[in-house]
C-alpha cells in the first residue's frame, strides 16, 4: 500500500496497538508497558534488520535514537512521531537520559 512506502529520509509511524481494524498502520499486536524486545526482520522472518530491547515504560517518556540512525538510544520528555530526533528543531524535547 502507498501508506507503507517510506520516502528517502522519511519516517513511518506504526501503531503497536492491536487495532488492525483502524488500517494497515496499526499492527496486530501490542507492546508491553513492562518492557520487551522489538525486532524488525526481513520478509523471510529470520534475518534481523534491527532490534531494540526496552525496559518498563514511564508515563509521558518516549525512547528514540539520537542522532537518528545511530545505535545510541535515549529517553525524551515528549514523543516526536513522524519527525527526526536530531535536535535540529525546537520541537524536539531535551534528552533526559540514556537507555
Amino acid at each position: 500500500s502507498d501508506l507503507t512506502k517510506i520516502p528517502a529520509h522519511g519516517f513511518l509511524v506504526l501503531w503497536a496497538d492491536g487495532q488492525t481494524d483502524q488500517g494497515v498502520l496499526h499492527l496486530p499486536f501490542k507492546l508491553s508497558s513492562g518492557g520487551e524486545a522489538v525486532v524488525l526482520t526481513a520478509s523471510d522472518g529470520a534475518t534481523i534488520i534491527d532490534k531494540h530491547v526496552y525496559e518498563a515504560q514511564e508515563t509521558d517518556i518516549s525512547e528514540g535514537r539520537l542522532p537518528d540512525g545511530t545505535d545510541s538510544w535515549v529517553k525524551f520528555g515528549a514523543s516526536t512521531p513522524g519527525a527526526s530526533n536530531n535536535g535540529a528543531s525546537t520541537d524536539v524535547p531535551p534528552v533526559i537520559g540514556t537507555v
Side-chain angles (χ1 to χ4, degrees), residues 4-80:
T4 58
K5 292 179 183 173
I6 307 169
H9 306 287
F11 300 90
L12 177 66
V13 177
L14 299 172
W15 300 94
D17 58 9
Q19 298 179 14
T20 55
D21 58 320
Q22 292 193 38
V24 298
L25 300 180
H26 290 262
L27 304 175
F29 59 88
K30 292 182 179 184
L31 295 178
S32 169
S33 63
E36 64 183 309
V38 178
V39 180
L40 177 65
T41 64
S43 59
D44 65 12
T47 304
I48 296 175
I49 297 171
D50 202 1
K51 68 178 179 177
H52 178 59
V53 178
Y54 67 91
E55 296 178 359
Q57 297 298 283
E58 303 170 59
T59 302
D60 298 325
I61 301 296
S62 67
E63 295 180 17
R65 289 184 163 137
L66 186 67
D68 291 336
T70 67
D71 289 333
S72 176
W73 285 85
V74 296
K75 293 184 179 185
F76 297 95
S79 61
T80 56

